[in-house]
């Protein structure tokens, strides 16, 4: 009984356990639901899974099902990021507990009943609880925004190497706050549209409307919603891994205001999509600022990796070659920032290229080709975020030595092969005619399946290891229970004013 | 350097060898592509969300896509009459232009000559020898592909037909029911030509050729390959899979033309009756053809062209 209680405590009360729970859920969902599409259909795997699990897949409901699945996965990713944020941004203990508990109940409810509604039969009970789950997540978001409120003298920057205002307010905290508030408002764009469902609004996938000259305000709201939510999830993970690397100094001082401004502008730009064609101008401006902040983080992180490793080796004046080797020494810490760079070739670069060549490509190509490119870049960006979370998790789990290197390089190489192949596949019409495309299609599909497959196998391996660990009385999970929070430097510290406020609360 | 050149040349030769198509075997489906089906006036369920739409007139629509043989015959007649011409390895013809709304991203399509069929595209299944067009061996009853919207419309205009509107097309595919596919709510791999059915008929048609003869999925057994009848309530074939089909609408604010039905490259969800594809009207593809519609007064007895 004690063991069950301890396990429950680990999974639901410790940040490390909560993150593991989230990653496990996403992995299981990805593994099972990944068998419902693509080549799995041809191989008969889908029918087997559908029959085995008793799924009810009506063809006409495909769009709705996909929307439910996207929401379920997005909610879990959001929850994982929230767990990380509540651990790395200083806040009161009860705030952290309230936020984490609320969002955990929220995403579990959303996941169970969202998937039940989408894939196992419709009823008001399932759908109602799906909405309850999402509402709880939104409420957790409100609590998070309140906890992150940066203009309070309870937490101030003491180490002047971290970005701060003249009054000592923490600019990184402000960046998290702006991201959280933007996400709450952006969620509203989806929620408002959802409330009109079957009352003037019909289910649709954004990629099916790309060439409709006139879209309703509700359709535009949804298109904006899905873009900004993914963007803000990317902003959040950038800030999180920045803290992991103890981002500080001059570049931090430039990056944080830039990130704050970029996040606000890009969010405002996406919201304005509902009303104006000018929205894209704001989005482009905001993107430049956000990406510049990320670039500074990449430069800082790589510099730090080189500096730390050469210092570890006792090299006072390392040569270029030694620096180069030092950079690649720890793939788990090199990887997330490499993925951010690689993203420019598979997501941002493709987007810019397509925008420049708009009249030659998208105004002429079949919509299906355009759709492949668009859905491809969303999926690649999502998967890049997933690999960054995974690499950070491997560090959180304390995996070291050769295993750490194997896992790191496998994630980097496997995912990049898959992303590059997906990009080549989506842009194949630029360099191969339809008649000769079969080898390109076959090889890129194979590379995608190989790259993503190998990562899924790797994740499976990690999860089996963690599962086995749960059956040992003094396993990693007990250590993580004892030290539940993420081990890193915080930007701000509790001030005397903060202490007084807490004491006052305790008196009441 | 020489080694590198030799390697490149050998690789190229090997690649060409791999792509070289085997001679196509003619497969008789027993379906006459000159047959038309009557679609009576009345309401039907349009689109994914099944809005009730009333088409208050009867019309007829071809039960198959236009075949290579039919299109080759048309080209020979049209060349003789001078309604089309060949320039720079492409068939061209006149189009009177489209209304232009100058809307965001809309291209203007003014009156002028536009490409109908690029003759050098390897996916084209027509031969042009001695000034006469004919289908490549074995491809007579495969759907005509590599034809632009202008080329499809020109065919229809030449015979006094028209390209079906999207609504006409969808009603002909779905009938008056609410099915997702022309025959029901699921699709089997031997019921239509789509991405999941390739390995089933690969032995019959080879790797590169991906179209099937029109009306192939009619319940017939082809040397051991048993098909399931994939017809619409009005008796149309290939309204799901095989090749996308141009439709006739010139919707306001866009220069795009819309295609329906999915193709041999499509996943099954694109074979449902409502998904749309679109492209500029000059676009051609190995997986894109068309069929025609007409008003019932034009009914006439057509010769059976099901055999090559």
């Amino acid at each position: 009984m004690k063991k069950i209680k301890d396990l429950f405590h680990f999974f639901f009360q410790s940040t490390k356990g909560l993150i593991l729970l989230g990653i496990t859920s996403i992995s299981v969902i990805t593994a099972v639901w990944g068998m419902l599409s693509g080549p799995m259909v041809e191989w008969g795997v889908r029918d087997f899974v559908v029959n085995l699990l008793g799924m009810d897949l009506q063809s006409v409901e495909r769009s709705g099902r996909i929307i439910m699945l996207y929401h379920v996965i997005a909610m879990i990713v959001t929850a994982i990021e929230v767990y990380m944020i509540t651990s790395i941004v200083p806040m009161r203990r009860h705030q952290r507990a309230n936020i984490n508990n609320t969002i955990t109940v929220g995403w579990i409810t959303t996941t169970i009943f969202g998937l039940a509604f989408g894939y196992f039969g419709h009823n008001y009970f399932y759908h109602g609880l799906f909405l309850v789950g999402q509402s709880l997540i939104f409420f957790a978001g409100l609590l998070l925004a309140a906890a992150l409120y940066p203009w309070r003298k309870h937490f101030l920057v003491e180490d002047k190497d971290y970005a701060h205002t003249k009054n000592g307010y923490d600019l990184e905290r402000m960046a998290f706050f702006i991201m959280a508030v933007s996400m709450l408002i952006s969620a509203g764009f989806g929620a408002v549209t959802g409330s009109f469902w079957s009352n003037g609004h019909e289910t649709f996938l954004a990629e099916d409307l790309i060439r409709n000259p006139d879209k309703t305000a509700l359709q535009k709201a949804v298109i904006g919603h899905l873009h900004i939510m993914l963007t803000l999830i990317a902003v959040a993970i950038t800030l999180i891994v920045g803290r992991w690397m103890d981002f500080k100094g001059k570049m931090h001082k430039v990056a944080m205001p830039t990130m704050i401004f970029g996040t606000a502008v890009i969010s405002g730009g996406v919201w304005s999509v509902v009303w104006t064609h000018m929205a894209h101008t704001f989005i482009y401006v905001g993107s430049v600022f956000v990406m510049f902040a990320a670039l500074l983080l990449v430069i800082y992180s790589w510099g730090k990796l080189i500096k730390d490793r050469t210092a570890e080796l006792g090299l006072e004046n390392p040569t270029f070659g030694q620096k180069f080797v030092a950079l690649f020494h720890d793939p788990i810490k090199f990887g997330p920032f490499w993925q951010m760079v690689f993203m420019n070739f598979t997501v941002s670069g493709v987007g810019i290229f397509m925008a420049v060549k708009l009249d030659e490509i998208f105004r002429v190509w079949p919509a299906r080709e355009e759709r492949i490119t668009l859905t491809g870049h969303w999926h690649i960006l999502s998967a890049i975020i997933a690999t960054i979370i995974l690499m950070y998790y491997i560090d959180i789990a304390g995996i070291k030595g050769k295993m750490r290197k194997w896992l790191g390089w496998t994630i980097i190489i496997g995912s990049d092969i898959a992303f590059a192949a997906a990009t080549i596949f989506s842009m194949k019409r630029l360099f191969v005619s339809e008649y000769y495309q079969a080898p390109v299609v076959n090889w890129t599909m194979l590379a995608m399946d190989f790259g993503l497959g190998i990562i899924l196998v790797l994740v499976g391996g990690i999860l089996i290891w963690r599962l086995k660990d749960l059956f040992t009385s003094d396993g990693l999970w007990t250590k993580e229970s004892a030290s539940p929070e993420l081990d890193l430097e915080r930007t701000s510290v509790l001030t005397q004013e903060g202490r007084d406020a807490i004491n006052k609360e305790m008196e009441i | 350097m020489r080694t590198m050149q030799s390697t490149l040349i050998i690789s190229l030769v090997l690649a060409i060898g791999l792509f070289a198509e085997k001679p196509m075997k003619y497969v008789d489906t027993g379906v006459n592509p000159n047959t038309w089906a009557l679609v009576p006036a009345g309401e039907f369920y349009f689109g994914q969300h099944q809005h009730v739409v009333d088409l208050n007139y009867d019309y007829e629509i071809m039960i198959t896509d236009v075949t290579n043989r039919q299109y080759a015959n048309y080209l020979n007649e049209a060349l003789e009459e001078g309604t089309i011409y060949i320039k720079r390895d492409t068939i061209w013809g006149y189009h009177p232009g489209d209304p232009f709304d100058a809307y965001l991203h809309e291209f203007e399509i003014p009156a002028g000559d536009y490409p109908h069929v690029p003759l050098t595209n390897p996916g084209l299944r027509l031969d042009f020898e001695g000034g006469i067009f004919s289908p490549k061996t074995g491809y007579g009853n495969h759907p005509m592909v590599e034809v632009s919207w202008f080329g499809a419309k020109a065919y229809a205009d030449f015979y006094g037909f028209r390209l079906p509107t999207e609504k006409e097309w969808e009603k002909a595919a779905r009938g008056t029911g609410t099915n997702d596919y022309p025959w029901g709510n699921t699709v089997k791999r031997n019921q239509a030509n789509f991405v999941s059915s390739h390995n089933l008929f690969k032995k019959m048609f080879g790797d590169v050729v991906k179209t099937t003869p029109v009306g192939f999925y009619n319940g017939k057994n082809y040397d051991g390959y048993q098909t399931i009848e994939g017809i619409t309530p009005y008796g149309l074939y290939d309204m799901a899979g095989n090749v996308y089909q141009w439709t006739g609408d010139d919707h306001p604010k866009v220069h795009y033309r819309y295609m329906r039905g999915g193709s041999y490259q499509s996943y099954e969800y694109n074979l449902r009756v409502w998904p749309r594809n679109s492209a500029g009207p000059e676009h051609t593809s190995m997986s894109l053809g068309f069929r025609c519609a007409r008003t019932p007064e034009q009914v006439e007895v057509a010769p059976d062209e099901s055999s090559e």
Side-chain angles (χ1 to χ4, degrees):
Chain A
M1 193 62 194
K2 184 180 179 307
K3 172 98 186 240
I4 293 170
K5 198 179 158 193
D6 288 347
L7 278 172
F8 188 84
H9 184 271
F10 167 64
F11 275 118
F12 293 100
Q13 296 298 320
S14 76
T15 294
K16 290 173 184 172
L18 285 166
I19 293 172
L20 176 61
L21 189 65
I23 289 177
T24 307
S25 302
I26 290 184
S27 305
V28 171
I29 291 167
T30 307
V32 175
W33 267 260
M35 287 191 269
L36 302 181
S37 59
M40 297 294 176
V41 179
E42 266 177 79
W43 299 339
V45 178
R46 181 189 62 179
D47 291 344
F48 174 76
V49 173
V50 167
N51 290 332
L52 183 74
L53 300 179
M55 288 179 169
D56 176 18
L57 304 187
Q58 301 296 320
S59 173
V60 70
E61 292 160 357
R62 180 176 176 272
S63 308
R65 276 199 303 275
I66 289 175
I67 293 166
M68 302 299 274
L69 182 60
Y70 281 165
H71 276 85
V72 164
I73 293 176
M75 294 301 148
I76 308 176
V77 172
T78 305
I80 290 170
E81 290 191 335
V82 168
Y83 298 144
M84 292 174 169
I85 293 168
T86 57
S87 186
I88 66 182
V89 180
M91 61 182 63
R92 294 186 198 178
R93 196 169 292 171
H94 78 270
Q95 288 177 318
R96 179 191 299 143
N98 286 344
I99 294 164
N100 287 354
N101 290 341
T102 309
I103 203 165
T104 303
V105 176
W107 76 252
I108 291 175
T109 309
T110 300
T111 300
I112 293 171
F113 295 102
L115 293 178
F117 182 80
Y119 292 83
F120 296 93
H122 297 345
N123 61 55
Y124 288 110
F125 178 71
Y126 290 165
H127 196 265
L129 284 174
F130 170 70
L131 295 179
V132 166
Q134 289 194 108
S135 303
L136 284 171
I137 293 168
F138 186 81
F139 184 59
L142 291 174
L143 294 176
L144 177 70
L148 291 173
Y149 185 74
W151 295 281
R152 196 182 285 136
K153 292 194 172 174
H154 296 178
F155 297 98
L156 293 178
V157 171
E158 206 168 61
D159 182 344
K160 301 301 179 191
D161 260 358
Y162 296 116
H164 58 279
T165 66
K166 277 182 186 170
N167 295 326
Y169 293 127
D170 183 349
L171 284 176
E172 188 173 295
R173 186 188 198 92
M174 212 174 280
F176 274 115
F177 174 76
I178 296 293
M179 178 278 301
V181 171
S182 300
M183 200 174 252
L184 286 167
I185 297 171
S186 303
F189 278 67
V192 167
T193 308
S195 69
F196 278 88
W197 188 76
S198 94
N199 185 23
H201 174 67
E202 292 170 333
T203 306
F204 72 97
L205 292 176
E207 58 265 33
D208 289 336
L209 298 190
I210 44 180
R211 290 189 174 176
N212 287 13
D214 296 314
K215 299 173 186 73
T216 66
L218 293 176
Q219 288 170 337
K220 287 177 186 170
V222 165
I223 292 166
H225 166 75
L226 64 96
H227 280 89
I228 192 62
M229 294 308 266
L230 186 57
T231 305
L232 292 170
I233 284 173
V235 167
I237 197 64
T238 307
L239 291 169
I240 289 166
V241 293
R243 188 75 337 262
W244 174 31
M245 295 301 289
D246 193 19
F247 192 18
K248 57 165 47 170
K250 282 179 189 167
M251 280 195 252
H252 190 249
K253 287 174 184 173
V254 176
M256 287 307 118
T258 308
M259 187 65 105
I260 291 167
F261 181 73
T263 305
V265 172
I266 203 170
S267 300
V270 172
W271 303 332
S272 71
V273 160
V274 178
W275 298 281
T276 172
H277 282 304
M278 285 293 290
H280 280 90
T281 308
F282 296 114
I283 294 167
Y284 294 147
V285 170
S287 303
V288 169
F289 280 87
V290 167
M291 288 176 74
F292 180 67
L295 175 67
L296 292 176
L297 171 62
V298 170
I299 294 168
Y300 171 84
S301 304
W302 285 0
K304 182 176 162 62
L305 284 177
I306 293 168
K307 207 170 136 191
D308 290 353
R309 178 62 183 162
T310 50
E312 198 179 310
L313 294 172
L315 301 169
E316 282 186 10
N317 292 308
T319 61
F320 177 78
Q322 286 168 328
K323 285 182 183 174
F324 192 72
V325 172
L327 176 63
F328 299 110
H329 173 70
D330 182 1
I332 289 297
K333 282 194 168 172
F334 165 78
F337 308 99
W338 163 252
Q339 297 291 70
M340 289 183 191
V341 173
F342 193 73
M343 184 199 73
N344 289 292
F345 302 110
T346 54
V347 182
S348 319
V350 174
I352 293 166
F353 179 79
M354 289 297 186
V356 170
K357 297 267 184 186
L358 200 65
D359 285 349
E360 294 165 46
I361 299 177
F362 282 175
R363 301 294 161 239
V364 184
W365 281 11
R368 295 286 153 192
E369 302 275 357
E370 181 177 357
R371 182 186 152 129
I372 288 170
T373 310
L374 295 174
T375 51
H377 95 258
W378 299 341
H379 283 85
I380 291 171
L381 182 55
S382 309
I384 282 176
I385 293 167
T387 59
I388 293 174
I389 290 175
L390 195 55
M391 283 189 267
Y392 186 22
Y393 179 72
I394 288 168
D395 187 72
I396 291 170
I399 298 173
K400 291 190 168 59
K402 279 189 181 172
M403 183 54 77
R404 183 182 175 96
K405 284 187 190 272
W406 272 102
L407 291 175
W409 287 119
T410 308
I411 294 172
I412 295 170
I413 295 169
S415 63
D416 288 359
I417 286 174
F419 301 152
T423 306
I424 292 168
F425 175 81
S426 71
M427 300 179 78
K428 61 186 177 296
R429 198 55 70 239
L430 287 175
F431 55 89
V432 64
S433 73
E434 200 179 1
Y435 187 82
Y436 295 110
Q437 75 176 18
V440 177
V441 170
N442 294 341
W443 282 103
T444 49
M445 293 293 259
L446 192 67
M448 279 187 264
D449 290 342
F450 168 77
L452 295 178
I454 202 167
I455 292 175
L456 269 180
V457 169
L458 180 149
V459 174
I462 294 174
L463 294 181
I464 289 168
W465 165 61
R466 291 305 317 242
L467 184 67
K468 193 167 159 261
D469 178 73
L470 294 177
F471 291 99
T472 54
S473 55
D474 60 343
L476 179 60
W477 71 276
T478 55
K479 295 181 186 78
E480 288 182 343
S481 273
S483 170
E485 300 308 323
L486 303 180
D487 181 23
L488 38 75
E489 299 294 328
R490 270 81 182 170
T491 48
S492 50
V493 294
L494 185 64
T495 60
Q496 188 55 48
E497 196 171 322
R499 258 178 241 286
D500 294 342
I502 291 169
N503 288 336
K504 201 174 172 187
E505 258 176 46
M506 297 299 282
E507 283 167 21
I508 292 166
Chain B
M1 192 66 185
R2 271 190 186 172
T3 317
M4 201 172 135
Q5 280 176 346
S6 313
T7 313
L8 276 174
I9 291 166
I10 291 167
S11 309
L12 195 66
V13 170
L14 279 174
I16 290 168
L18 283 174
F19 281 119
E21 287 185 65
K22 292 169 192 165
M24 171 54 65
K25 174 186 164 191
Y26 181 79
V27 175
D28 183 8
T29 63
V31 174
N32 180 3
N34 281 321
T35 312
W36 296 71
L38 176 70
V39 181
E43 293 179 340
F44 76 105
Y45 295 101
F46 180 68
Q48 179 182 359
H49 300 291
Q50 301 175 0
H51 296 285
V52 176
V53 168
D54 185 16
L55 287 184
N56 60 0
Y57 55 89
D58 296 343
Y59 63 95
E60 288 193 325
I61 188 164
M62 296 171 78
I63 66 162
T64 72
D65 300 314
V66 170
T67 63
N68 285 311
R69 172 162 299 285
Q70 287 173 315
Y71 203 83
N73 290 343
Y74 148 73
L75 288 176
N76 293 328
E77 291 175 43
L79 268 177
E80 200 175 309
E81 286 193 18
T83 58
I84 56 171
Y85 62 94
I86 299 172
K87 190 172 131 188
R88 295 194 305 270
D89 291 329
T90 298
I91 298 169
W92 297 75
Y94 178 76
H95 176 67
D98 297 338
F100 181 53
D101 305 294
Y103 203 70
L104 187 71
H105 302 312
E106 185 186 8
F107 282 173
E108 186 174 8
I109 299 174
D113 289 352
Y114 288 92
H116 288 190
V117 179
L119 296 176
T120 51
N121 277 14
L124 182 67
R125 306 305 186 183
L126 299 181
D127 283 327
F128 183 52
E129 284 168 18
I132 302 291
F133 283 97
S134 61
K136 286 184 188 292
T137 308
Y139 284 99
N141 61 349
H142 281 245
M144 170 65 190
V145 291
E146 297 288 5
V147 55
S148 70
W149 183 85
F150 298 115
K153 184 173 183 298
Y155 175 95
D157 289 347
F158 189 82
Y159 293 115
F161 308 145
R162 64 176 188 274
L163 295 178
T165 64
E166 285 196 85
K167 283 177 181 159
E168 287 173 341
W169 189 97
E170 193 168 318
K171 184 178 179 184
R174 192 178 221 175
T176 53
T178 56
N179 285 338
D180 299 341
Y181 298 94
W183 47 80
N185 288 322
T186 57
V187 54
K188 304 284 183 201
R189 294 164 66 192
N190 52 346
Q191 194 168 20
N193 182 358
F194 64 116
V195 78
S196 301
S197 40
H198 290 171
N199 57 351
L200 295 180
F201 61 75
K202 200 192 284 184
K203 278 184 192 165
M204 205 176 300
F205 296 116
D207 270 336
V208 176
V209 181
K210 297 289 172 63
T211 56
T212 39
V214 296
F216 182 72
Y217 293 94
N218 57 9
K220 202 171 163 181
N221 188 305
Y222 301 94
D223 298 335
Y225 177 43
Q226 180 63 51
T227 60
I228 296 175
E229 192 172 58
I231 59 168
T232 76
Y234 300 114
L236 276 65
Y237 295 91
D238 296 310
M239 291 293 269
N242 208 7
V243 293
Y244 269 109
Q245 296 157 46
W246 286 116
T247 55
D249 303 271
D250 171 23
H251 292 295
K253 301 180 180 176
V254 290
H255 61 277
Y256 299 120
R257 295 298 188 272
Y258 289 82
M259 325 157 196
R260 294 299 199 99
S263 77
Y264 62 81
Q265 295 180 346
S266 301
Y267 285 109
E268 62 185 49
Y269 55 84
N270 281 328
L271 267 58
R272 294 174 299 179
V273 294
W274 61 82
R276 309 165 86 190
N277 195 1
S278 64
E282 296 183 16
H283 175 71
T284 68
S285 162
M286 280 174 71
S287 56
L288 172 58
F290 69 101
R291 70 180 70 205
C292 299
R294 66 183 182 185
T295 48
E297 295 85 70
Q298 292 171 272
V299 174
E300 58 190 44
V301 179
D304 186 345
E305 287 194 13
S306 63
S307 62
E308 188 160 75

